[in-house]
Amino acid sequence: MSKAKIFRDALKRGMVTAPGCFECIGARAIERAGFEAVYMTGAGTAATLGYPDYGLVTMSEMADNAGRIASAIKLPVIADADTAYGNELNAIRTVREYEKRGVAGIHIEDQDFPKKCGHLENKVIIPLDDYVAKIRAAVSAKVDPNFLIIARTDSRAVLGYEEAIRRANAAIDAGADMAFVEAPQTLEETANVPKLVKGPCMLNMVWKGKTPDLSMEEAAKLNYAFMILPGVLTRTIVGACDAALAELKGKGRHPVPVSDITPQQGFNLNGAAEWDRYRTQFRETTKQAAE
């Protein structure tokens, strides 16, 4: 069964929540925590390469990172695919590249370049016809029919709430599997998205972002199908790093990590048990054959 099918089956059971990560350590942590899916954050991926979330990372860099994450865990991965990196032709290649790397789905937005995080100011939005054409092209490129095309619109801040809803519905009509109205600005706006959009809806919960802070239970009661928390690990890691380094600088001694584990326990979190078997498995077979 494909991971895209696993994700769709999870959606049938109720709202799916996917914390965000930008590498395999975080992805494995999300899996250990018992969540049903992982979200690859574009902002976090950009940060690992030393850039802000300003559309500076290429499609191949993003797809490669999503592929590494997908191969490290059993959970389905939904990934940021920014603007699909161009026009309809680029959208087709984007879908193909993410899908062949084992990703379960992507979201594509209606920003123009230079794009930026959906919770920042001064975004530029492409015409509706260009956006809908890009979504149609992305949908046509799927090999696995279960692969999710999530249509994101950033138009709320630039063109208003009604236009954002109109674009979300136009994307659903064009074949998108889910709509993602980025950064509704009030609780009323957030609550009304699933009522006004004629298809499943995704909610992006960004800490200190434009959207009111909602719990998983509250989002589910509003009938959101999918909720992501893209920065939950990124922000935590930054704070933990700063605190540990400040303690090291101040005390001159290795601080006690939040995860106070041995080197072997650390390797075990990243699949050491499987690889340890291979150290002797094939040599023992040769030895038995010689006897």
Side-chain angles (χ1 to χ4, degrees):
M1 183 186 299
S2 72
K3 289 186 177 180
K5 179 64 163 61
I6 291 171
F7 185 80
R8 285 187 183 265
D9 287 347
L11 290 174
K12 293 176 183 177
R13 296 190 294 270
M15 189 187 80
V16 175
T17 300
C21 70
F22 52 83
E23 38 63 80
C24 299
I25 296 172
R28 289 181 185 271
I30 293 167
E31 188 169 50
R32 289 196 305 274
F35 288 92
E36 292 184 287
V38 164
Y39 174 70
M40 188 201 81
T41 160
T45 300
T48 66
L49 297 174
Y51 297 111
D53 187 18
Y54 284 4
L56 297 168
V57 182
T58 66
M59 182 272 287
S60 56
E61 289 172 324
M62 291 281 282
D64 283 346
N65 195 41
R68 285 190 291 270
I69 292 170
S71 68
I73 58 176
K74 295 179 181 178
L75 296 180
V77 175
I78 305 298
D80 189 346
D82 296 317
T83 64
Y85 312 99
N87 59 24
E88 297 95 307
L89 278 68
N90 304 92
I92 289 170
R93 186 181 174 214
T94 295
V95 171
R96 291 175 177 174
E97 295 295 332
Y98 276 83
E99 187 175 356
K100 74 182 183 183
R101 286 167 172 79
V103 177
I106 59 175
H107 63 73
I108 297 172
E109 67 203 41
D110 58 355
Q111 285 196 56
D112 203 351
F113 283 96
K115 65 136 285 174
K116 56 173 61 177
C117 168
H119 290 256
L120 298 180
E121 303 296 337
N122 301 318
K123 293 177 288 185
V124 180
I125 304 300
I126 64 174
L128 177 59
D129 288 347
D130 293 347
Y131 175 50
V132 170
K134 194 181 296 191
I135 296 299
R136 287 198 193 103
V139 171
S140 77
K142 296 196 291 185
V143 174
D144 180 355
N146 291 303
F147 186 85
L148 265 84
I149 302 297
I150 302 170
R152 165 177 158 173
T153 177
D154 286 74
S155 57
R156 166 61 187 94
V158 180
L159 303 174
Y161 185 72
E162 290 185 6
E163 177 62 14
I165 297 299
R166 184 169 83 98
R167 286 177 171 241
N169 280 320
I172 292 291
D173 289 342
D177 300 293
M178 187 177 291
F180 171 11
V181 176
E182 175 65 301
Q185 296 181 9
T186 67
L187 181 57
E188 182 181 9
E189 286 186 1
T190 308
N192 283 335
V193 167
K195 298 175 184 177
L196 298 173
V197 174
K198 301 171 184 177
C201 293
M202 169 178 154
L203 178 65
N204 183 19
M205 191 49 53
V206 173
W207 183 254
K208 294 188 175 180
K210 293 182 178 295
T211 302
D213 182 43
L214 295 176
S215 69
M216 293 161 54
E217 181 180 1
E218 289 169 332
K221 287 182 178 178
L222 294 177
N223 291 320
Y224 278 93
F226 182 39
M227 178 181 186
I228 62 169
L229 297 92
V232 64
L233 293 185
T234 309
R235 306 285 181 88
T236 301
I237 289 167
V238 169
C241 288
D242 287 347
L245 292 170
E247 185 175 345
L248 174 61
K249 189 76 178 292
K251 296 182 177 179
R253 181 181 295 276
H254 197 307
V256 178
V258 176
S259 56
D260 186 11
I261 57 178
T262 67
Q264 184 61 59
Q265 289 171 324
F267 296 138
N268 289 344
L269 295 177
N270 293 293
E274 175 192 355
W275 291 97
D276 282 342
R277 292 199 305 270
Y278 302 148
R279 293 168 65 88
T280 57
Q281 177 180 341
F282 304 104
R283 292 179 180 272
E284 289 176 352
T285 302
T286 304
K287 181 180 178 181
Q288 292 170 2
E291 293 174 352

